[in-house]
Amino acid sequence: MKPADKVIIIILLAFLVWGGFVYYRMTTVEESHLEIYKGGELLGRYSLEEDREIRLEYSNQINIVRIENGTVKMVDANCPHQDCLKQLPIKFPETSIICLPHEIILKIVSDQEAEVDIIVR
Amino acid sequence: MKRIFYMAVFIFVILSMCSCMLNDKEMGNIVEQEGSFMAMDTVISYKVYAPKSIEVDQLIKKIVLDIEQEMSRTIEDSALSKLNAAAGNENGIVLTPGIRELLEESITYQARSDADFRITIYPLVVLWDIMNPDKGVPSEAEIARALELSNPGMLKLEGDRAFLKNAGSGVDLGAVAKGYAADKVVTELEKTGASAGLISFGGGVSVFGYKPGNKLWSLGLEYPFAEGPISVQSYYAILKYTDMSINTSGVYQRRKIIDGKVYHHLFDPKTGYPAQNDLAAVSIIDESATRADAFSTAVYVKGFKEGLKLVEEEGLEAIFVFNDKTYYITPGLSESIRISNSEFKPHETGR
């Protein structure tokens, strides 16, 4: 293999990576928010841009939510089975983490969703 | 090795050409055309993806203004006004094809809703004159007389003629004319090659096709209570849908307050008074905007229990909002709607 061939292969690979990145940006990275619900009630909306920890404590039911690098996960909870801690971090719209015993739902909601074309009066 | 290189370049070029062609096909000469104007006693707004050569604004205005000129109760020389002026005249009058079509359609909805949607409600509408703040509550005798004149039997169609039996009786197409116009607009837009569109008459919105990127239309359902900071609670739910019309009948807009009591524009044609129930609003969803219009009125007047029965019989979809901020959504909509306001809770239907 000549050195020129290697250069060409590298260029092609670079194109591929760049193409993949553009595709990724176009299809997946949308502006979205985290919505936290307890018992069906919206507790709050949080930006995914800003890393933070949110402590939810309601009559000794504790859940700790962490937003980090645009992903959300449950990092601590005192629920009986701790299933919520085992759920994968979420990032994309309409994905969620649920803590059944504490009736907590963490849900990613696309901002696109909040935008409406029109309001029906 | 060289061959691999040329192959790669060739494939790359072909792929880029393909993607360009796809883009062209997707948008092509289709452009987004948006605007609004006032007619039919409301703000009409539209957003249409149509060929550049089509003047969407002109097309929509022509259809809407022609229908208004034909079917308005308040325009003196409208075809409808002429019909109402001929009330009691035994020769009746010859109808224009448009009004005849809508009258015939309305009469079938009237029959299927047990006349809770009623186009012969004209005498009651005129008597109450709900948008006139100076007019008080009519006397019981006046209401009884108007009720008699509002009987569905007052209107008869024979061939291309219409007859109104008694002087003082009349037809009001206010509950369906906007839906009828919306249906016509959508049909005509589709004929032009428009790929998607939305037309709103305020309480009625029709959508067709998919927005660029294959997206559904997203409709916010207005917070149906007069009180509260409207700016943050502008809508309580988001409906994602296409190829359908939605119509909301609510009592938080067209109304007046006399001696601390609220009187609104949705009359119960059996009592002669504004319908009394625990509903703040009803939205009906159907392929036909005219049907959605007619039945949203009927369902509101019937109230939840009877209204839901009618919805099920007619194969409609509906969203009921109660005064206590609870809601009921028909099962067919559950995947398409999201309640965005956490004040709203599901209604206990007891069934």
Short mmCIF file of all heavy atoms in Angstrom, two decimals, chain B residues 288-311:
data_model
loop_
_atom_site.label_atom_id
_atom_site.label_comp_id
_atom_site.label_asym_id
_atom_site.label_seq_id
_atom_site.Cartn_x
_atom_site.Cartn_y
_atom_site.Cartn_z
N SER B 288 -64.59 15.45 8.93
CA SER B 288 -65.35 16.58 8.38
C SER B 288 -65.46 17.70 9.40
O SER B 288 -65.91 17.50 10.52
CB SER B 288 -66.75 16.10 7.99
OG SER B 288 -67.67 17.17 8.03
N ALA B 289 -65.05 18.89 8.99
CA ALA B 289 -65.14 20.04 9.89
C ALA B 289 -66.59 20.43 10.15
O ALA B 289 -66.95 20.86 11.23
CB ALA B 289 -64.38 21.23 9.32
N THR B 290 -67.44 20.26 9.14
CA THR B 290 -68.86 20.59 9.29
C THR B 290 -69.49 19.70 10.36
O THR B 290 -70.20 20.18 11.25
CB THR B 290 -69.61 20.37 7.95
OG1 THR B 290 -68.82 20.91 6.89
CG2 THR B 290 -70.96 21.03 7.98
N ARG B 291 -69.17 18.41 10.29
CA ARG B 291 -69.70 17.46 11.27
C ARG B 291 -69.16 17.75 12.67
O ARG B 291 -69.89 17.73 13.65
CB ARG B 291 -69.27 16.05 10.86
CG ARG B 291 -70.37 15.02 10.88
CD ARG B 291 -69.94 13.82 10.06
NE ARG B 291 -69.16 12.90 10.88
CZ ARG B 291 -69.72 11.89 11.56
NH1 ARG B 291 -71.01 11.69 11.51
NH2 ARG B 291 -68.96 11.09 12.27
N ALA B 292 -67.85 18.06 12.74
CA ALA B 292 -67.24 18.38 14.04
C ALA B 292 -67.91 19.61 14.64
O ALA B 292 -68.21 19.66 15.83
CB ALA B 292 -65.73 18.61 13.88
N ASP B 293 -68.19 20.61 13.79
CA ASP B 293 -68.88 21.83 14.23
C ASP B 293 -70.25 21.51 14.80
O ASP B 293 -70.60 21.92 15.91
CB ASP B 293 -69.09 22.75 13.02
CG ASP B 293 -68.06 23.86 12.95
OD1 ASP B 293 -67.02 23.73 13.60
OD2 ASP B 293 -68.31 24.84 12.22
N ALA B 294 -71.04 20.79 14.00
CA ALA B 294 -72.43 20.50 14.39
C ALA B 294 -72.46 19.71 15.69
O ALA B 294 -73.20 20.03 16.62
CB ALA B 294 -73.13 19.74 13.28
N PHE B 295 -71.62 18.67 15.77
CA PHE B 295 -71.70 17.79 16.93
C PHE B 295 -71.04 18.39 18.17
O PHE B 295 -71.40 18.03 19.28
CB PHE B 295 -71.17 16.40 16.60
CG PHE B 295 -72.17 15.60 15.80
CD1 PHE B 295 -71.97 15.33 14.46
CD2 PHE B 295 -73.33 15.16 16.41
CE1 PHE B 295 -72.92 14.62 13.72
CE2 PHE B 295 -74.29 14.44 15.68
CZ PHE B 295 -74.08 14.17 14.34
N SER B 296 -70.08 19.31 18.01
CA SER B 296 -69.52 19.91 19.24
C SER B 296 -70.60 20.74 19.93
O SER B 296 -70.68 20.76 21.16
CB SER B 296 -68.26 20.74 18.94
OG SER B 296 -68.58 22.01 18.48
N THR B 297 -71.45 21.38 19.16
CA THR B 297 -72.56 22.13 19.75
C THR B 297 -73.54 21.17 20.43
O THR B 297 -73.89 21.35 21.59
CB THR B 297 -73.30 22.94 18.66
OG1 THR B 297 -72.34 23.70 17.93
CG2 THR B 297 -74.33 23.86 19.26
N ALA B 298 -73.93 20.12 19.69
CA ALA B 298 -74.92 19.17 20.22
C ALA B 298 -74.39 18.49 21.49
O ALA B 298 -75.11 18.37 22.47
CB ALA B 298 -75.25 18.12 19.18
N VAL B 299 -73.12 18.08 21.45
CA VAL B 299 -72.55 17.34 22.59
C VAL B 299 -72.45 18.26 23.81
O VAL B 299 -72.76 17.86 24.93
CB VAL B 299 -71.18 16.73 22.22
CG1 VAL B 299 -70.47 16.20 23.47
CG2 VAL B 299 -71.36 15.61 21.20
N TYR B 300 -72.06 19.52 23.58
CA TYR B 300 -72.01 20.44 24.72
C TYR B 300 -73.39 20.57 25.35
O TYR B 300 -73.56 20.49 26.57
CB TYR B 300 -71.48 21.84 24.33
CG TYR B 300 -71.37 22.68 25.56
CD1 TYR B 300 -70.20 22.67 26.31
CD2 TYR B 300 -72.46 23.39 26.07
CE1 TYR B 300 -70.11 23.35 27.51
CE2 TYR B 300 -72.39 24.07 27.26
CZ TYR B 300 -71.21 24.06 27.98
OH TYR B 300 -71.14 24.71 29.17
N VAL B 301 -74.40 20.78 24.51
CA VAL B 301 -75.76 20.98 25.01
C VAL B 301 -76.25 19.75 25.77
O VAL B 301 -76.89 19.86 26.81
CB VAL B 301 -76.72 21.33 23.84
CG1 VAL B 301 -78.17 21.25 24.27
CG2 VAL B 301 -76.40 22.73 23.30
N LYS B 302 -75.89 18.57 25.30
CA LYS B 302 -76.34 17.34 25.95
C LYS B 302 -75.65 17.10 27.29
O LYS B 302 -76.16 16.38 28.13
CB LYS B 302 -76.06 16.14 25.04
CG LYS B 302 -77.07 16.01 23.90
CD LYS B 302 -76.81 14.76 23.11
CE LYS B 302 -77.72 14.64 21.89
NZ LYS B 302 -79.15 14.52 22.25
N GLY B 303 -74.46 17.65 27.47
CA GLY B 303 -73.71 17.37 28.69
C GLY B 303 -72.92 16.09 28.53
O GLY B 303 -72.98 15.43 27.48
N PHE B 304 -72.17 15.71 29.56
CA PHE B 304 -71.20 14.63 29.41
C PHE B 304 -71.82 13.28 29.08
O PHE B 304 -71.47 12.64 28.09
CB PHE B 304 -70.35 14.51 30.67
CG PHE B 304 -69.37 13.37 30.62
CD1 PHE B 304 -68.39 13.31 29.64
CD2 PHE B 304 -69.45 12.33 31.54
CE1 PHE B 304 -67.49 12.27 29.58
CE2 PHE B 304 -68.55 11.27 31.48
CZ PHE B 304 -67.57 11.24 30.51
N LYS B 305 -72.80 12.85 29.90
CA LYS B 305 -73.29 11.48 29.76
C LYS B 305 -73.95 11.23 28.42
O LYS B 305 -73.57 10.34 27.66
CB LYS B 305 -74.29 11.17 30.89
CG LYS B 305 -73.78 10.08 31.82
CD LYS B 305 -74.76 9.80 32.92
CE LYS B 305 -75.22 8.35 32.85
NZ LYS B 305 -76.25 8.06 33.85
N GLU B 306 -74.93 12.07 28.11
CA GLU B 306 -75.65 11.93 26.85
C GLU B 306 -74.75 12.29 25.67
O GLU B 306 -74.84 11.70 24.60
CB GLU B 306 -76.89 12.83 26.86
CG GLU B 306 -77.97 12.37 27.82
CD GLU B 306 -78.50 10.99 27.45
OE1 GLU B 306 -78.91 10.81 26.30
OE2 GLU B 306 -78.45 10.09 28.32
N GLY B 307 -73.89 13.27 25.91
CA GLY B 307 -72.97 13.72 24.86
C GLY B 307 -72.02 12.63 24.44
O GLY B 307 -71.78 12.40 23.26
N LEU B 308 -71.48 11.93 25.44
CA LEU B 308 -70.54 10.84 25.15
C LEU B 308 -71.24 9.72 24.38
O LEU B 308 -70.66 9.11 23.47
CB LEU B 308 -69.94 10.31 26.46
CG LEU B 308 -68.89 9.20 26.31
CD1 LEU B 308 -67.72 9.65 25.45
CD2 LEU B 308 -68.38 8.75 27.68
N LYS B 309 -72.50 9.49 24.73
CA LYS B 309 -73.27 8.48 24.01
C LYS B 309 -73.37 8.85 22.52
O LYS B 309 -73.16 8.01 21.64
CB LYS B 309 -74.68 8.39 24.62
CG LYS B 309 -75.13 6.96 24.88
CD LYS B 309 -76.33 6.91 25.79
CE LYS B 309 -77.62 6.77 25.01
NZ LYS B 309 -78.81 6.90 25.88
N LEU B 310 -73.64 10.10 22.27
CA LEU B 310 -73.75 10.57 20.88
C LEU B 310 -72.41 10.45 20.16
O LEU B 310 -72.34 10.01 19.01
CB LEU B 310 -74.23 12.03 20.87
CG LEU B 310 -74.43 12.66 19.49
CD1 LEU B 310 -75.50 11.94 18.70
CD2 LEU B 310 -74.79 14.14 19.62
N VAL B 311 -71.33 10.81 20.86
CA VAL B 311 -69.98 10.70 20.29
C VAL B 311 -69.71 9.26 19.86
O VAL B 311 -69.21 9.00 18.77
CB VAL B 311 -68.93 11.17 21.33
CG1 VAL B 311 -67.53 10.70 20.96
CG2 VAL B 311 -68.95 12.69 21.46
#
